[in-house]
Amino acid sequence: MFGATKDFIGKPAPPNYVAGLGRGATGFTTRSDIGPAREASEAALDPAKLAAAAQKQEGDDEDDERYQDPDNEYGLFSGAPYEEDDEEADRVWAMIDQKMDERRKARREAREREELARYRQERPKISQQFADLRRQLTTIDESEWAAIPEVGDLVGKNRKRSKVPERFTPLPDTILSSARDKMGYDTALSEEEQKRGNVSNDAEGGTMTNFREIGQARDKVLGLKLDQVSDSVSGQTTIDPKGYLTDLNSVVIKSEAEIGDIKKARLLLNSVITTNPKHAPGWIAAARLEEVAGRPVQARNIIAKGCEQCPKSEDVWLENARLNTNENAKVIMAEAVRHLPQSVKIWLKAVDLESDQASQKRVLRRALEYIPNSVKLWRAAVNMEENPDDAKILLSRAVELVPLSVELWLALARLESYENARKVLNKARAAVPTSHEIWIAAARLEEEHGKPQTVDNIIKVAATALSQTGTVLDREQWLKEAEKCEKNGSVLTCQAIVRATIGLNVEEEDQKATWMEDAESCIAHGTVETARAIYAHALKVYPGKKSIWKAAAFLEKSHGTAASLEELLQRAVRYCPQAEVLWLMGAKEKWMAGDVDGARAILEEAFRANPNSEQIWLAAVKVESQSNEYERARRLLELARRESGTERVWMKSAQLERQLEHYDACLAMLDEALQKFPTGEKLWAIRGQVEDEALNQPQKARETYNKAVKNCPKSILCWVLLARLEEKLGMVTKARSTLEKARFANPKTAELWLQGIRIEKRANNIGVAKSMSAKALQECPTSGAIWTEVIFLEARPQRKARSVDALKKCEHDPIIVTTVARLFWTDRKIEKARGWFGKAAQIDPDHGDSFAWWYAFEQEYGNDEQREQVVKQCVAAEPHHGELWQAVAKDMKHIGWRTEQILKECAKQLTK
């Protein structure tokens, strides 16, 4: 059996067979396993086959992806020659790309900043998250610091201990005694040592080491050092005890690594200045290295050698002056000006080294003898003169020697009288015909002396003359000059520049949009007069554009006076009589100023221009009703129902009757209106409210609301009123069912979910309210009102985390921002709460509840000035929305209230 030959013996192994792989016995591979290198085959050495392979490679290159793209000119024309035409074309395209990139650069940068700020807010750093907690550490006193427990070794408690006991093997006594003898001192000499010592003393003259004398010498040296730093008269130390610790702080302690780096750098720089002694930066670097190393004397020596080797380098001389004292620096600068008399920097450094003004003037005038065409030196000399006459003489000489310096010409013109200044500017214009600053200075000069017509002529001639000389300023540069003139107080010059240059290089079809953008940009920069001039020019070109008149009116309302706004609106309605908003703005301004007759007159003219305008009819009715002229308001509404007859006119008519408590007439009018407008949700709502609140007929009101939701099932207002009435009647289950039907008919409506959550809260079903709020967030994840309910349903410690989640979902919602401010208010973080209330008011100024919460907060923690600021901002914004704000503003008891009164009433209800 064992002597039989296996059938696989002597046969070749199967493909990919590895011996021992099946049982895991694999090892490393050696050269003997690989075998010798293979020789080149005949096919590889055949030239024909090599050519065929090369041709195949070229064919593969033709199928390369980069050659298939016609826009990839690097791949298509990589082998073509690069000529001057190609270079010119590339340069032109690069200029176009740069210009296109600059056109939207400001918006792109603003968007990038917003995205970065949003990213930082969503993913704040750990230091930012705990910044408020770190800031609170400043309030901890020393006793609280001392009461903080020490941190224990928490790792050692959980570390697994070895179960094997530690073994201690005692050392033998021989090892301990030998170590003691090795570290000790022998106090006696052996006989052999004594003999050697005697022979040494007699024959060689040697001495024994006396440690006592060494100790005495050391004490003597230490005493001498202490005597050097003490006062020989009084015996007190000369060290300043107050500044001693400060001096210790200034001592630079260098580590071994730093010392090694300094040594390497010293060797390197030594090689630099040795091999190339005329290289000035090498000397400067070597001197600064020694300065950093704390060797100022060596630094001065090195830089002095540098001045000898590089006497024509002003940087070396300036560095030498910096490293030396003031007196030595003066000598160095005197030597420097002998080698470099044309260096402005060296002369200015020499001026700075002088302590008194007379010496500085002397050095400057000496410098001007060598460099008479230096603007910096002339400017320094003029600034040093206190007498205007002396400065005028210097400037007269300066413009003769440096006629191309616009700055010197303008400085001389400012010092001269009116007539002489005109002559100076004319000479400057002849000397520098390409400077627009001289033309603008001439226009400002004429404006200062009360010649507005001359200002316009100068700017017009300037634009023409500069274009003829080849100096073409684009429209953006002219606008910047106009804004600069406005900031300097030259309003007429600013307006003249706008009139003369606002239309440069702008296509006719793009003029209106471009000018509106320019005006908005100027308003953002705070240059109101420039924006006003742009609007005035645009209105001359486009007098019939309602949007331009409206923008100009808002500008006058925000930054102008009542007279300027009235004058603008009068011109506006003359050119745009069909623009209802302009008529209404004029009437409102009159009414707000207390001029009721003026408002009536404007509205009468508006009636003639717009006979069937609903807004004008209702504005006239509001003026009469606010003035307690109810009969006139009734007649106007009756006439409006016949002429216009819109749903809103009928609704306002019913509201007037309801306000006057004529409920029968109100219901009759509503019945007639509902026959014409059966889907008017506000008509149904007014009818139900009159029956419920005024007539105390809740069942009849419920029937009205049921009819309302049948006629207009998409009306959220009617569904909410019906559910509230059913809850008021004790039918909570029916109210839940009503809201469920409403949500089925109007999915993803936040108001319906909000009312359902509040019903459960009022019924004290907190668990059901939380469950419903979770479903509401699934359908309306960006609703700030729902997030507010979710936050306040949580326990107080969890509210902060929920507010962070809410801000991620709806960052710019004024409701959620106000909620965060309320959380800070609860935690008594006053400044943070005030900042977040202001942020909410900025996000949406039309949301009145934000102002109400802010004012309530300031009533508790603010002063009179801060409360007045909130009222001022609210009055300027004139909010019309907000759950509580609308409830207070539309209450029949508050008809005719102004914004300030509504704000205070809302704040009063919030603090109940």
Side-chain angles (χ1 to χ4, degrees):
M1 177 179 178
F2 293 99
T5 303
K6 304 299 181 182
D7 56 350
F8 57 85
I9 298 299
K11 294 182 181 180
N16 301 325
Y17 174 77
V18 179
L21 182 63
R23 65 178 186 276
T26 58
F28 56 87
T29 303
T30 63
R31 185 180 295 275
S32 61
D33 298 325
I34 300 173
R38 292 187 297 274
E39 296 181 355
S41 62
E42 296 178 359
L45 299 176
D46 191 359
K49 294 184 178 180
L50 287 174
Q55 186 176 2
K56 183 179 179 182
Q57 182 67 28
E58 291 177 1
D60 294 339
D61 290 342
E62 291 177 359
D63 296 334
D64 197 347
E65 294 180 358
R66 54 183 180 172
Y67 299 135
Q68 303 302 322
D69 186 4
D71 294 333
N72 186 4
E73 45 183 60
Y74 295 103
L76 291 175
F77 306 106
S78 59
Y82 190 73
E83 298 177 351
E84 294 182 358
D85 296 341
D86 300 327
E87 183 180 359
E88 179 67 22
D90 290 341
R91 185 162 57 251
V92 170
W93 282 111
M95 291 172 60
I96 293 174
D97 292 339
Q98 183 180 2
K99 186 66 176 178
M100 295 299 291
D101 182 68
E102 290 177 354
R103 289 182 62 184
R104 298 294 183 264
K105 184 177 181 181
R107 296 184 182 177
R108 185 175 66 256
E109 290 180 352
R111 185 176 68 252
E112 290 175 355
R113 286 195 296 270
E114 291 178 0
E115 291 176 357
L116 179 60
R118 191 181 304 112
Y119 177 80
R120 292 298 185 195
Q121 191 168 6
E122 291 178 358
R123 297 173 179 82
K125 299 179 182 177
I126 296 178
S127 59
Q128 295 176 352
Q129 295 179 4
F130 295 96
D132 53 345
L133 301 177
R134 291 175 60 190
R135 197 177 299 112
Q136 292 177 2
L137 292 177
T138 57
T139 60
I140 299 178
D141 54 6
E142 294 182 1
S143 60
E144 292 175 339
W145 274 111
I148 296 176
E150 297 292 337
V151 179
D153 186 7
L154 302 179
V155 180
K157 294 180 179 179
N158 299 326
R159 186 180 297 154
K160 294 183 179 179
R161 301 183 181 275
S162 177
K163 297 181 180 179
V164 180
E166 298 182 1
R167 297 179 180 180
F168 297 96
T169 304
L171 292 175
D173 296 339
T174 57
I175 296 176
L176 296 177
S177 61
S178 62
R180 181 194 61 194
D181 296 340
K182 183 177 180 181
M183 299 300 295
Y185 293 97
D186 291 334
T187 58
L189 298 177
S190 63
E191 295 180 358
E192 296 180 357
E193 290 173 343
Q194 290 178 359
K195 291 179 180 179
R196 287 198 300 269
N198 293 333
V199 171
S200 175
N201 292 338
D202 297 336
E204 301 176 3
T207 58
M208 293 291 293
T209 302
N210 192 337
F211 293 102
R212 181 181 179 184
E213 292 179 358
I214 293 175
Q216 292 176 353
R218 185 186 59 186
D219 295 340
K220 189 174 183 179
V221 171
L222 181 59
L224 290 174
K225 291 183 178 179
L226 293 176
D227 292 338
Q228 290 176 359
V229 295
S230 62
D231 191 358
S232 60
V233 178
S234 61
Q236 297 179 354
T237 179
T238 58
I239 297 176
D240 183 13
K242 294 182 180 179
Y244 183 65
L245 294 178
T246 307
D247 294 339
L248 289 179
N249 290 332
S250 64
V251 174
V252 179
I253 302 175
K254 295 183 174 60
S255 63
E256 294 182 359
E258 292 177 348
I259 294 172
D261 293 340
I262 290 174
K263 290 180 179 179
K264 292 178 182 178
R266 186 179 290 126
L267 289 174
L268 180 61
L269 292 173
N270 189 20
S271 175
V272 170
I273 61 180
T274 304
T275 56
N276 189 6
K278 300 300 181 182
H279 185 60
W283 292 100
I284 296 173
R288 289 183 180 177
L289 176 66
E290 298 299 335
E291 182 186 11
V292 171
R295 302 172 65 186
V297 177
Q298 287 80 357
R300 292 169 188 165
N301 294 333
I302 290 174
I303 202 65
K305 293 179 182 178
C307 292
E308 295 175 0
Q309 296 292 334
C310 307
K312 298 299 181 182
S313 174
E314 61 181 12
D315 293 333
V316 176
W317 290 105
L318 293 173
E319 184 70 14
N320 195 359
R322 186 183 69 83
L323 291 174
N324 281 274
T325 60
N326 195 20
E327 296 300 325
N328 294 337
K330 291 180 182 180
V331 178
I332 293 169
M333 286 294 101
E335 184 68 21
V337 296
R338 279 195 286 271
H339 290 88
L340 295 168
Q342 301 296 321
S343 175
V344 178
K345 291 183 179 179
I346 289 178
W347 282 109
L348 291 176
K349 180 65 177 177
V351 172
D352 293 337
L353 292 173
E354 297 295 337
S355 57
D356 57 324
Q357 194 172 13
S359 301
Q360 290 178 345
K361 290 180 180 180
R362 185 170 59 253
V363 174
L364 273 175
R365 290 176 182 174
R366 184 68 173 169
L368 288 171
E369 292 178 4
Y370 285 95
I371 319 173
N373 57 351
S374 173
V375 179
K376 289 184 179 180
L377 292 177
W378 282 111
R379 188 193 307 129
V382 171
N383 291 336
M384 206 165 289
E385 295 294 338
E386 299 178 356
N387 190 354
D389 296 332
D390 296 339
K392 195 185 305 180
I393 295 171
L394 281 176
L395 285 171
S396 301
R397 181 59 178 165
V399 295
E400 292 178 5
L401 296 173
V402 195
L404 298 181
S405 175
V406 178
E407 181 182 357
L408 297 177
W409 283 108
L410 296 180
L412 179 59
R414 283 193 292 269
L415 293 176
E416 293 285 355
S417 61
Y418 172 62
E419 295 298 333
N420 292 335
R422 294 183 66 181
K423 295 178 182 178
V424 169
L425 291 176
N426 288 330
K427 292 179 181 178
R429 208 154 46 209
V432 193
T434 59
S435 173
H436 63 279
E437 292 94 344
I438 297 175
W439 290 96
I440 294 175
R444 293 181 60 190
L445 179 65
E446 298 296 333
E447 180 182 356
E448 289 175 0
H449 291 82
K451 296 183 179 180
Q453 187 61 35
T454 312
V455 174
D456 286 330
N457 295 334
I458 290 174
I459 297 299
K460 289 178 183 178
V461 174
T464 306
L466 289 173
S467 62
Q468 290 176 355
T469 57
T471 307
V472 180
L473 274 73
D474 56 8
R475 190 171 50 83
E476 287 78 9
Q477 291 175 324
W478 279 113
L479 284 180
K480 288 181 181 178
E481 293 295 334
E483 292 180 355
K484 192 185 299 182
C485 290
E486 179 183 349
K487 292 177 181 178
N488 292 330
S490 302
V491 178
L492 295 179
T493 306
C494 162
Q495 295 173 351
I497 292 174
V498 171
R499 285 192 292 269
T501 61
I502 191 64
L504 292 177
N505 301 326
V506 181
E507 298 293 336
E508 186 175 355
E509 58 270 14
D510 297 335
Q511 282 183 348
K512 177 176 174 293
T514 305
W515 291 343
M516 296 293 282
E517 289 181 3
D518 292 339
E520 292 174 1
S521 175
C522 292
I523 294 173
H525 296 161
T527 52
V528 179
E529 294 296 335
T530 309
R532 187 176 285 127
I534 293 173
Y535 282 136
H537 182 79
L539 289 173
K540 286 183 179 179
V541 180
Y542 301 103
K545 293 293 184 180
K546 180 176 67 174
S547 59
I548 303 179
W549 285 108
K550 187 176 178 181
F554 280 121
L555 175 65
E556 294 297 333
K557 183 177 180 180
S558 302
H559 303 281
T561 60
S564 64
L565 177 59
E566 181 181 357
E567 189 270 335
L568 179 70
L569 289 174
Q570 288 177 357
R571 289 193 292 116
V573 296
R574 194 180 311 124
Y575 285 103
C576 303
Q578 306 302 322
E580 300 173 359
V581 64
L582 299 176
W583 290 105
L584 295 177
M585 286 181 68
K588 183 178 180 180
E589 292 300 322
K590 287 287 187 182
W591 178 67
M592 293 290 289
D595 188 3
V596 180
D597 294 333
R600 288 172 181 164
I602 292 175
L603 290 174
E604 287 178 2
E605 295 181 8
F607 276 129
R608 287 192 288 270
N610 304 275
N612 294 322
S613 173
E614 174 191 283
Q615 292 185 355
I616 295 176
W617 281 109
L618 295 180
V621 171
K622 184 176 181 180
V623 169
E624 299 299 341
S625 61
Q626 295 290 339
S627 304
N628 297 327
E629 298 287 344
Y630 298 113
E631 291 300 325
R632 298 185 63 172
R634 276 181 171 178
R635 290 197 297 270
L636 284 173
L637 284 170
E638 184 179 358
L639 186 59
R641 290 196 298 272
R642 285 201 305 267
E643 297 290 337
S644 179
T646 61
E647 178 186 343
R648 194 176 178 199
V649 171
W650 283 94
M651 187 264 293
K652 290 294 182 180
S653 301
Q655 280 284 69
L656 181 61
E657 298 297 336
R658 179 186 177 187
Q659 179 184 350
L660 297 176
E661 298 182 357
H662 299 162
Y663 299 119
D664 295 335
C666 176
L667 292 176
M669 195 172 293
L670 287 172
D671 291 338
E672 186 177 356
L674 286 172
Q675 291 179 359
K676 296 182 178 182
F677 308 101
T679 58
E681 60 173 356
K682 291 188 177 180
L683 297 174
W684 289 107
I686 293 173
R687 182 182 179 89
Q689 289 172 351
V690 169
E691 292 172 343
D692 178 27
E693 299 172 4
L695 302 179
N696 197 16
Q697 298 174 353
Q699 293 298 334
K700 199 170 182 179
R702 183 166 177 260
E703 294 177 2
T704 300
Y705 289 144
N706 282 319
K707 292 179 183 179
V709 296
K710 289 179 181 178
N711 284 278
C712 37
K714 298 295 181 182
S715 173
I716 308 301
L717 175 62
C718 295
W719 284 108
V720 170
L721 289 174
L722 177 58
R724 287 179 180 174
L725 180 59
E726 289 173 343
E727 183 187 10
K728 178 182 174 182
L729 295 175
M731 306 164 64
V732 180
T733 305
K734 187 62 178 175
R736 293 194 187 103
S737 175
T738 299
L739 290 175
E740 189 69 28
K741 292 179 184 179
R743 287 194 292 270
F744 181 76
N746 303 275
K748 296 184 178 180
T749 304
E751 178 65 22
L752 297 176
W753 283 105
L754 183 64
Q755 295 300 325
I757 295 170
R758 289 178 177 175
I759 285 178
E760 300 301 336
K761 283 178 63 179
R762 287 191 288 266
N764 203 20
N765 297 327
I766 304 300
V768 179
K770 288 185 177 181
S771 175
M772 184 175 290
S773 63
K775 295 179 182 179
L777 287 179
Q778 292 178 356
E779 284 202 10
C780 309
T782 59
S783 172
I786 294 178
W787 273 108
T788 299
E789 295 295 334
V790 170
I791 290 171
F792 286 102
L793 281 173
E794 298 287 344
R796 186 169 178 177
Q798 284 79 33
R799 289 177 183 176
K800 185 176 181 180
R802 298 299 282 171
S803 66
V804 173
D805 298 337
L807 285 172
K808 291 180 181 178
K809 292 294 184 180
C810 40
E811 180 181 1
H812 298 291
D813 192 313
I815 300 177
I816 200 63
V817 174
T818 304
T819 302
V820 174
R822 291 167 58 190
L823 292 179
F824 285 125
W825 181 5
T826 305
D827 295 339
R828 298 183 184 276
K829 297 179 179 179
I830 308 305
E831 293 303 323
K832 280 193 174 183
R834 182 175 288 117
W836 279 83
F837 278 126
K839 182 180 178 182
Q842 289 179 355
I843 290 175
D844 187 7
D846 195 46
H847 191 261
D849 289 1
S850 301
F851 287 102
W853 279 109
W854 190 6
Y855 188 77
F857 166 78
E858 296 295 350
Q859 279 186 322
E860 183 173 355
Y861 291 104
N863 51 32
D864 294 338
E865 183 179 355
Q866 291 168 333
R867 285 190 286 270
E868 186 63 29
Q869 182 66 25
V870 176
V871 172
K872 188 183 297 183
Q873 290 189 26
C874 184
V875 171
E878 294 184 6
H880 294 89
H881 293 88
E883 185 177 1
L884 179 62
W885 187 273
Q886 286 188 327
V888 173
K890 294 185 177 182
D891 192 342
M892 290 292 104
K893 300 176 183 178
H894 306 152
I895 295 295
W897 277 23
R898 296 185 181 272
T899 304
E900 182 178 354
Q901 295 173 299
I902 299 174
L903 173 66
K904 293 181 178 179
E905 179 63 24
C906 290
K908 181 180 178 181
Q909 294 190 14
L910 288 173
T911 53
K912 283 183 179 180

